[in-house]
Amino acid sequence: MARKSKKSEIIFIIVIVILLTALGLGIFSYFYFDKKIEEKEKNNKKIITETQSKEEILKSKEEEMIILQNELDEYNNLDKKIEDLKKEYYSSIKDLEDAIISGKSNKKIAYLTFDDGPYYNTYKVLDILDKYNVKATFFTTSINGENCYDKKSEKCYPLYKEYIKRGHTIANHTYTHGIWSGLYKSVDSFINAVSKQEEHVKNMTGGYITRIVRFPGGSSTAGKLKNSIIEALKKKGYGWVDWNAQDGDGGDLSTKEQAWSNLKSSINENIEVILFHDYHPITTEILPEVIEYLQKNGYILLPLFYESNMINK
Ligand SMILES: [Zn+2]
């Protein structure tokens, strides 16, 4: 009897052990697999979040690209914008000229013009103009070649870009300036020298077009050919201008007093086109005072433009 109960005791213990093991395994696997599922879910969530943030980055990159493209388009349109602004600016100067000419405005305009450059001394002239924030007009010629006439060791062609950079007008004073060497031999010789200088300005500046011409020596130097040359210029779309005031630096000028006297006696209009030469030391010396004098006397100093009433066409 005691043996039997021992046996059932052992069976009972074995059953308990089996039950406990099964329970243990059950609990273990419950936690283990649950954790695995949880981890997997977490991982899935992570992947979803990562994908979303990658999509967001891509989206913001796309937006950046659009902004950059717009900026690039804007930049490419800059030339046109500057051209439009220039047109607007010149059109308001033209309106002012009209008002002055018709007596509706008592304002005055002076166009400072410098002939025969570029010279090395032109840098000095440009610096003075910059100091007063004055824009002028440079009637250029190629008679002196690439090296500066007044400083052979320096190149003067870079000045063409300098004129533009500093906001001045480049005008055409013919390629050869050859008053005594055939410029006025025929209409063709004159027009050729104008076209050649126009081409030169274009090359030196990367495309600047000037349609304003000044006859070397003034239009009267063309003599009998003057009217035919004017007709030919007109046909080619050029305008031309002489001057109505000067300090006399194109001739015999040896003192500042003489320059002032020439200048003051020639200034008597409400719109003045003043002739200077950018090589002349006296002109360079008195230029700051000339600017101050003109401004004190009510003149607005401006660069010439094709549409101006002062340009014959
Ligand atoms: Zn000249």
Side-chain angles (χ1 to χ4, degrees), residues 288-304:
E289 288 165 67
V290 169
I291 292 170
E292 286 169 24
Y293 171 81
L294 289 167
Q295 288 178 335
K296 231 178 271 167
N297 282 281
Y299 283 95
I300 306 167
L301 307 185
L302 295 167
L304 275 169

Side-chain angles (χ1 to χ4, degrees), residues 73-136:
D73 289 348
E74 192 112 318
Y75 181 75
N76 288 335
N77 279 333
L78 215 56
D79 276 355
K80 207 195 157 286
K81 269 191 186 165
I82 290 170
E83 235 6 83
D84 289 347
L85 276 176
K86 253 190 186 173
K87 263 187 204 157
E88 218 174 281
Y89 171 63
Y90 289 147
S91 141
S92 33
I93 303 174
K94 170 79 166 65
D95 290 345
L96 179 62
E97 281 184 344
D98 290 343
I100 293 170
I101 290 165
S102 65
K104 282 181 194 149
S105 168
N106 53 10
K107 291 211 162 59
K108 293 190 268 184
I109 297 175
Y111 293 106
L112 304 186
T113 67
F114 296 88
D115 281 18
D116 298 359
Y119 286 91
Y120 190 68
N121 191 63
T122 305
Y123 283 111
K124 266 193 204 163
V125 172
L126 288 173
D127 287 345
I128 295 167
L129 295 172
D130 271 358
K131 200 183 145 203
Y132 288 89
N133 195 22
V134 163
K135 308 297 175 207

Side-chain angles (χ1 to χ4, degrees), residues 183-207:
L183 178 68
Y184 293 116
K185 210 176 96 194
S186 67
V187 174
D188 279 351
S189 59
F190 187 88
I191 297 295
N192 284 343
V194 168
S195 306
K196 222 174 155 189
Q197 182 60 12
E198 183 185 349
E199 207 50 43
H200 184 66
V201 171
K202 242 190 249 173
N203 291 337
M204 289 300 114
T205 55

Side-chain angles (χ1 to χ4, degrees), residues 256-284:
K256 281 202 288 181
E257 290 69 31
Q258 208 182 331
W260 270 114
S261 148
N262 288 339
L263 192 66
K264 284 181 179 170
S265 65
S266 62
I267 291 175
N268 43 35
E269 312 252 358
N270 288 339
I271 304 179
E272 293 285 4
V273 177
I274 310 177
L275 170 69
F276 297 107
H277 292 82
D278 36 343
Y279 57 75
H280 210 287
I282 291 178
T283 290
T284 314

Side-chain angles (χ1 to χ4, degrees), residues 24-38:
L25 275 173
I27 291 170
F28 170 76
S29 63
Y30 172 78
F31 282 109
Y32 178 77
F33 289 114
D34 202 49
K35 213 168 186 189
K36 276 266 166 192
I37 290 165
E38 210 175 277

